[in-house]
Amino acid sequence: MKAGSFPFAEGLAPRIVVVMGVSGTGKSTVADGLHNLLGWPFQEGDALHPKSNVEKMAAGVPLTDEDRWPWLDTCRDWISERAKEGRGGVLTCSALKRIYRDRLRSSGVDITFLFLAIPEDVISARLQRREGHFMPASLLPSQFATLEEPDADEHVLVLPLTPTPAEQIADAVEALRQDQIVRSR
């Protein structure tokens, strides 16, 4: 699909977007949809985890802050490279704590966080059905315990649950469009 081929996506200036939330919220689906609609580079944050992190999570062991720092630094470096290119970029990253989001912003890049705020019971049901992912449903409570919802000063756009992935992607594009209008004033 060509960027701008959908009228509601026309005129969106490239920017760095981090699609965030606990596991199972649909981060990959939304990020891939933005990539397809807007043509901005896309990186699955889970693919940037070191092997030791993946093995730990697959074994049902929650990551510590110390486990996350190298991964967050790799995510930050990807963000910085996309910002230098000026073509925008979309990264999935749980970014559960403010200090993690601060680490992503530490290179000075303006990041728009799209926070997928989905109720725990909905996510739990999704994770029970999900196949082929290293993150077991048993770690969901630890993710919610770790989650610090973003504050207004973090340039966050909150996306609530929608009935279908297509609607969630459309809502994400609309939120970005509205944010661009507000920020250009």
Side-chain angles (χ1 to χ4, degrees), residues 64-120:
T64 65
D65 288 351
E66 290 71 31
D67 295 325
R68 288 185 176 102
W69 296 135
W71 169 63
L72 290 165
D73 290 343
T74 302
C75 290
R76 181 198 58 219
D77 294 345
W78 186 89
I79 287 168
S80 294
E81 286 301 312
R82 300 302 76 74
K84 286 178 193 171
E85 293 170 357
R87 299 182 312 142
V90 183
L91 172 78
T92 61
C93 179
S94 54
L96 297 175
K97 291 183 180 181
R98 181 168 186 130
I99 59 172
Y100 303 162
R101 296 185 295 273
D102 290 344
R103 187 81 163 229
L104 294 174
R105 286 188 292 260
S106 68
S107 64
V109 174
D110 181 23
I111 299 172
T112 302
F113 289 94
L114 281 178
F115 173 44
L116 304 183
I118 313 297
E120 187 171 357

Side-chain angles (χ1 to χ4, degrees), residues 92-173:
T92 61
C93 179
S94 54
L96 297 175
K97 291 183 180 181
R98 181 168 186 130
I99 59 172
Y100 303 162
R101 296 185 295 273
D102 290 344
R103 187 81 163 229
L104 294 174
R105 286 188 292 260
S106 68
S107 64
V109 174
D110 181 23
I111 299 172
T112 302
F113 289 94
L114 281 178
F115 173 44
L116 304 183
I118 313 297
E120 187 171 357
D121 62 325
V122 173
I123 297 170
S124 181
R126 285 181 183 178
L127 290 179
Q128 296 298 329
R129 294 186 308 268
R130 184 163 75 172
E131 295 178 11
H133 195 278
F134 61 83
M135 175 78 172
S138 63
L139 288 181
L140 184 61
S142 73
Q143 289 222 320
F144 271 99
T146 302
L147 177 63
E148 296 172 2
E149 293 192 12
D151 293 317
D153 69 330
E154 294 188 75
H155 193 189
V156 61
L157 307 174
V158 179
L159 295 178
L161 178 65
T162 55
T164 68
E167 289 172 291
Q168 195 167 35
I169 294 163
D171 285 353
V173 171

